[in-house]
Amino acid sequence: AMDAMAGLQSISSAIAGREQLASEDLRAWLDRDLEAKIAALGLFPYEAWSRAHFPRELHHCCGFGLGIWQYPNQLLPLALLLHEYRIESYLEIGVAAGGTFTFICELLAAWSDRENPGAFRALGCDPAPPGCVAYLGSRENPYQQRFKEWLAGAPAVSYAQEFSEFLERRWAREGLAAQTFDCVFVDGDHSYEGCMADLAMALRLGAGVIILHDVVNAECPGVCEAWAEAQRTLGADFDFVEFSAQYDDVKRGEGVRFLGIGVCLRKSMQKRSSSPRTKDAADAVPRAENCP
């Protein structure tokens, strides 16, 4: 767990300093290094069917660590984009083993603390207990214990074991003030109706950044349809970015793609304040002997 936290700290610092690298070649080198570091945190697939969706070059990174269920070549550009915006609150709907939730929370918290220490807060929402994956039922996975330990040691992060549709009702019932979140990651019910309901809630919660997962996934047509609908209907207030790079050696039919991240960016969303050259920029520069 400590190795993962050190890896996350290294990734967050490198991303923070990346924009100050003058050379496109240096940034490209850094991005390749960051993708490898993300993979080294540990990817989710540990069963044959899910590993088949990941390239052979990443199989040695599967089945341990954080259990991130993402392609590194999609997750890195999302992280680079999130760093551009001032995000102090984060909601993830559909947490599963917790790898993506841990990754994004740690990065956002590190970047937020530079400008407004202690302001960051996050909430994970999933009907399964922390670290459990719904489709596995009561069967354990390799990531549960680590995720529970991380949650226990992250006071700014809370976990709601319930369906997302009940969140607002519970807040009202408990007399809590209306909740708002700067960023909402939608990865719960993968039906069109469920995804659209979570998207509508993210809008009610005032999110400036709304992320949908599996937006090009051939196995999730409902999410693909919801992503297309969002782009058709929200264009007056939002811009849209899609990260759907694939890996060539993953066997798939013609036109078939997996995973995919779609981002709705509110046009009024506040950008992170630019800062003078920092130690992070120096840390991000690769040593000469490591350059191609």
Side-chain angles (χ1 to χ4, degrees):
M2 287 302 293
D3 286 346
M5 292 303 107
L8 284 164
Q9 186 175 14
S10 172
I11 290 167
S12 70
S13 293
I15 290 175
R18 178 184 179 278
E19 64 191 29
Q20 297 173 43
L21 297 178
S23 160
E24 280 291 338
D25 288 342
L26 276 180
R27 283 196 289 269
W29 184 94
L30 177 63
D31 290 351
R32 290 194 298 272
D33 184 58
L34 285 170
E35 281 187 26
K37 285 181 175 176
I38 289 172
L41 295 172
L43 304 175
F44 180 86
Y46 67 99
E47 302 161 295
W49 73 266
S50 55
R51 231 181 0 254
H53 290 176
F54 278 63
R56 209 171 280 278
E57 69 193 76
L58 294 179
H59 283 189
H60 71 286
C61 296
C62 293
F64 71 92
L66 298 189
I68 299 172
W69 207 335
Q70 306 281 347
Y71 280 171
N73 65 356
Q74 297 176 0
L75 185 57
L76 174 61
L78 173 66
L80 296 176
L81 179 68
L82 293 179
H83 179 260
E84 294 180 25
Y85 292 88
R86 186 169 185 173
I87 298 172
E88 294 185 343
S89 51
Y90 174 64
L91 167 65
E92 184 166 308
I93 299 169
V95 177
T100 300
F101 188 55
T102 303
F103 178 85
I104 292 180
C105 283
E106 287 291 335
L107 265 57
L108 292 179
W111 297 331
S112 175
D113 281 349
R114 296 164 190 266
E115 296 180 345
N116 195 0
F120 181 76
R121 60 182 171 86
L123 172 64
C125 177
D126 196 293
C132 294
V133 181
Y135 79 83
L136 290 172
S138 59
R139 285 180 292 152
E140 292 191 3
N141 68 70
Y143 318 106
Q144 283 174 244
Q145 189 58 36
R146 182 219 58 82
F147 183 59
K148 287 190 283 189
E149 291 172 359
W150 175 78
L151 271 179
V157 177
S158 53
Y159 187 91
Q161 187 183 333
E162 60 189 327
F163 288 101
S164 57
E165 64 198 82
F166 299 127
L167 271 180
E168 291 172 293
R169 297 183 213 174
R170 178 170 60 79
W171 294 334
R173 190 173 63 248
E174 295 176 358
L176 298 174
Q179 301 286 296
T180 59
F181 290 92
D182 295 330
C183 178
V184 176
F185 195 121
V186 174
D187 195 17
D189 183 340
H190 280 49
S191 70
Y192 169 77
E193 294 79 10
C195 192
M196 289 301 294
D198 286 337
L199 176 61
M201 181 171 73
L203 293 170
R204 292 194 298 272
L205 299 179
V209 180
I210 304 173
I211 306 162
L212 305 184
H213 193 234
D214 291 310
V215 298
V216 301
N217 197 334
E219 299 180 350
C220 303
V223 179
C224 300
E225 186 182 351
W227 172 232
E229 180 74 7
Q231 293 174 85
R232 278 196 301 269
T233 58
L234 299 179
D237 298 313
F238 287 84
D239 294 317
F240 307 96
V241 186
E242 181 177 298
F243 304 119
S244 53
Q246 301 292 299
Y247 290 96
D248 291 338
D249 71 336
V250 175
K251 291 183 179 177
R252 56 186 190 272
E254 187 174 346
V256 171
R257 295 186 291 172
F258 294 126
L259 304 183
I261 295 170
V263 187
C264 309
L265 288 166
R266 195 180 292 273
K267 293 175 181 178
S268 59
M269 182 66 181
Q270 186 177 0
K271 289 260 190 167
R272 191 177 303 281
S273 59
S274 55
S275 54
R277 185 174 176 85
T278 64
K279 179 176 179 290
D280 290 330
D283 288 345
V285 179
R287 294 195 181 112
E289 65 266 24
N290 292 332
C291 291

